[in-house]
Amino acid sequence: MDETRTWQTIDSERAATADLLTGLTDEQWSHPSLCAGWTVREVAAHLSLAHRIKAGTAFRAFVRARGSFNRMVDQTARDEARRPPADLVAELRGAVGLHRLAPGQTLKNALMDTLVHTQDIAVPLGIERHMPLDAAVVAADDLWRMGFPFHARRRLAGHRLVATDTDWAAGEGAEISGPIEALVMLLAGRTATIPRLTGITA
């Protein structure tokens, strides 16, 4: 995927996720997501921040988090989640067409983040959403390449991951196979989609 196509996909996913969130009940907004410790509301808040956070803001949040990236991400999402759901939806919808990356984020990171967090919301709510295959391949490559914070290659050492619905594979060893979107979630450290995979158990 080239840059134009990648941004088009991010825009499309953001718009669709905003539509999904618009139809949720108060109970669903408070439902646990696939992100440990976060409800749907915190995930939505995190997604609404990416295009708005600036370098200075990120630095202050990092200092407040005492130098912990994970703590910074958690604190900023929780702070933002205090806003009304309608505001979070409006912020996410307003991101469509605004092609800005968070400090230190690459375009592939942004695509992966959008795809994974949409599933973090949809899967536990029993809402069926599918990743575009070409975008899922880019996300899988990005997750396999990066170390922190997912460390996929280390966690899945001794296994070969093979997509059954598109041309993608990585690693060496005992085979884990299934839909590319389920592999993406596995690479991102989520276990909820493991039942869709063969060669691995939760």
Side-chain angles (χ1 to χ4, degrees):
M1 295 173 66
D2 62 14
E3 182 175 341
T4 298
R5 176 59 181 153
T6 301
W7 274 120
Q8 288 174 343
T9 302
I10 291 172
D11 284 341
S12 177
E13 290 295 305
R14 283 174 171 171
T17 301
D19 289 343
L20 184 160
L21 291 168
T22 298
L24 298 186
T25 64
D26 290 343
E27 183 179 0
Q28 288 174 313
W29 274 94
S30 299
H31 195 283
S33 74
L34 297 187
C35 287
W38 280 5
T39 66
V40 166
R41 190 164 181 155
E42 277 83 40
V43 178
H46 174 72
L47 284 173
S48 78
L49 275 169
H51 67 292
R52 293 186 289 129
I53 193 164
K54 297 179 181 179
T57 304
F59 178 75
R60 289 190 293 274
F62 190 68
V63 171
R64 177 189 167 206
R66 304 188 301 280
S68 168
F69 175 81
N70 287 336
R71 188 181 296 118
M72 178 189 72
V73 171
D74 182 66
Q75 289 176 347
T76 54
R78 291 183 187 279
D79 289 347
E80 190 71 8
R82 296 191 180 99
R83 299 179 63 186
D87 288 359
L88 300 179
V89 172
E91 292 287 4
L92 184 56
R93 201 180 298 282
V96 176
L98 296 180
H99 298 167
R100 302 170 186 161
L101 297 171
Q105 188 181 49
T106 69
L107 184 54
K108 289 181 179 179
N109 292 163
L111 176 65
M112 177 274 295
D113 199 59
T114 303
L115 294 175
V116 169
H117 285 313
T118 296
Q119 295 296 311
D120 286 336
I121 293 169
V123 171
L125 294 179
I127 297 172
E128 188 171 319
R129 283 286 306 278
H130 294 291
M131 298 179 187
L133 290 179
D134 55 350
V137 166
V138 173
D141 283 338
D142 195 42
L143 285 161
W144 186 255
R145 175 198 55 78
M146 71 171 61
F148 178 84
F150 302 108
H151 303 289
R153 280 178 295 176
R154 186 178 68 193
R155 286 189 297 103
L156 298 166
H159 292 89
R160 179 166 176 78
L161 279 59
V162 180
T164 54
D165 53 354
T166 190
D167 183 19
W168 186 85
E172 298 294 337
E175 184 173 302
I176 298 172
S177 61
I180 185 67
E181 64 186 15
L183 291 172
V184 167
M185 298 304 286
L186 176 67
L187 288 163
R190 276 59 166 178
T191 59
T193 57
I194 284 178
R196 300 178 64 191
L197 301 170
T198 58
I200 187 172
T201 56

